[in-house]
Amino acid sequence: MNFKAIAIAAAAAAAATSGQAADLPSDVAPVEYVRINDAYGAGFFMLPGTETAIKIGGRIRVEARFTDLLDDEDYSREDNNHNFRSRANLRVDTRTQSELGLIRTYMDLQYTSDSDKRGNEGVSLDKGYLQIGGFTFGRTTSVFDLWVGELATNLYDRHLADDNVWQASYTHSLGNGLTIAASIEDNSDREQGVLDAGVKFGTADTMKAGNTIPSFVAKILLNQGWGYAGLSGAVTKVDVSGERDSSEVGYAIAGAVGFNLDMIAPGDVINFQAAYADGAMAYVGSDSDTPDAYLVGDDLETNTAWSVAGGYMHNWTSELSSGLEASYLDLEAGDDLSDFNEVIVAGTVEYRPVSGLLFSAGAGWKQLDTDNESTEDAAVLNFRVQRSF
């Protein structure tokens, strides 16, 4: 092959390549990959095409609960002395910076199936709220709540205020770890109704007048390296249903303090809390069967109660920990006939072999002492496996 033939072949190849290149689009859009955003913590990434960071997570929890362990407990054949539960949570958290400050949305959908309520399963909204700067709108933890316990296993509820409520609240930082908050809250989840005088709590349905005025709540909280201290208060309204025109003002106050005990073991904490309520029994952690007031004739007489609680969580190793919590409640009934006090003690052993995986076992005991009547004891065992992601 001579030089002339080689030149002609090279020119033909160049022309063919140019023709093919002309057929390609001149402006190819770049591939947009998912970007990690750890400014708000681990697990956040940017939604493609937006300036919104999102985190998707949740947990699966499976547990077995055994009751009717003491002779004082009188379970009928219609009740179970053991219960098995599976619970699934799906959580979606988004964050967006704006001219109004940080805009956050949070959703926690919860599905529970257990042998006590089989056939009544369904998805519920455990939390769902929108935050704009210091404002919060939606369903989330009440501003009143301070310490809500450390134990990972479901045992008897200690006498602590721990409820998700619909609210419109504002939180403001004063600097140096000091914050104040104020909230207007729906009282549906904390209204415990009114009972006719002389009727023992738990033996009849309470009368509920519904929501006529929301609750007003405020809190001041200090967070420091040594721990925290907080004080909260709430004012609510107690109404009676029917044609009776009776109502009273209810209120509650609570104080809590917690200390980090890293000098004993990393992550160790000890907490104390005290609360007092008049016509607002849920705020001292009283059982939902306990009414807020008694109806004596046409007069509404509110119940008063005070509670104290404390707990210590100790980390034996980075994987193994145990906790012990106790509380005491004393209630003075408005009719002077249903006064009682109650003691609850609960403890757990918790094992986390890998991040997000929990095995726990717990035991609880409570004693109800009703004035001029009887003293009843009850006990429970609970075993739980949980995976968070």
Side-chain angles (χ1 to χ4, degrees), residues 198-272:
V199 178
K200 183 180 178 181
F201 69 91
T203 62
D205 293 333
T206 57
M207 299 176 286
K208 293 187 177 182
N211 284 318
T212 55
I213 295 178
S215 299
F216 299 91
V217 183
K219 175 171 66 178
I220 182 168
L221 183 65
L222 175 67
N223 283 292
Q224 297 290 307
W226 51 264
Y228 74 93
L231 182 66
S232 62
V235 177
T236 186
K237 186 183 179 187
V238 185
D239 287 303
V240 62
S241 60
E243 298 179 355
R244 302 177 181 89
D245 186 20
S246 296
S247 64
E248 293 288 342
V249 175
Y251 66 91
I253 56 173
V257 61
F259 300 97
N260 299 325
L261 301 179
D262 292 334
M263 73 289 294
I264 298 177
D268 279 25
V269 291
I270 189 169
N271 296 276
F272 302 97

Side-chain angles (χ1 to χ4, degrees), residues 166-375:
W166 281 271
Q167 62 182 269
S169 61
Y170 178 73
T171 301
H172 179 69
S173 174
L174 299 176
N176 298 319
L178 185 64
T179 59
I180 56 174
S183 179
I184 300 173
E185 300 182 357
D186 177 76
N187 199 40
S188 297
D189 293 323
R190 287 188 157 165
E191 179 192 10
Q192 297 190 180
V194 177
L195 200 59
D196 279 324
V199 178
K200 183 180 178 181
F201 69 91
T203 62
D205 293 333
T206 57
M207 299 176 286
K208 293 187 177 182
N211 284 318
T212 55
I213 295 178
S215 299
F216 299 91
V217 183
K219 175 171 66 178
I220 182 168
L221 183 65
L222 175 67
N223 283 292
Q224 297 290 307
W226 51 264
Y228 74 93
L231 182 66
S232 62
V235 177
T236 186
K237 186 183 179 187
V238 185
D239 287 303
V240 62
S241 60
E243 298 179 355
R244 302 177 181 89
D245 186 20
S246 296
S247 64
E248 293 288 342
V249 175
Y251 66 91
I253 56 173
V257 61
F259 300 97
N260 299 325
L261 301 179
D262 292 334
M263 73 289 294
I264 298 177
D268 279 25
V269 291
I270 189 169
N271 296 276
F272 302 97
Q273 181 164 290
Y276 176 83
D278 185 331
M281 297 299 98
Y283 290 89
V284 291
S286 183
D287 189 274
S288 59
D289 289 334
T290 308
D292 292 321
Y294 279 91
L295 188 64
V296 183
D298 290 329
D299 296 326
L300 198 59
E301 297 187 8
T302 56
N303 295 335
T304 61
W306 59 271
S307 65
V308 291
Y312 175 50
M313 179 63 69
H314 175 60
N315 292 274
W316 301 96
T317 68
S318 58
E319 294 85 20
L320 182 65
S321 62
S322 62
L324 182 66
E325 296 178 0
S327 65
Y328 175 83
L329 171 73
D330 188 281
L331 184 142
E332 299 289 334
D335 66 346
D336 294 325
L337 297 174
S338 302
D339 299 351
F340 72 88
N341 60 74
E342 186 175 61
V343 179
I344 293 178
V345 180
T348 61
V349 176
E350 304 170 11
Y351 178 54
R352 296 174 173 84
V354 296
S355 177
L357 181 62
L358 166 72
F359 297 90
S360 68
W365 168 80
K366 69 177 178 179
Q367 183 180 81
L368 176 65
D369 184 1
T370 304
D371 289 2
N372 303 319
E373 291 190 21
S374 62
T375 300

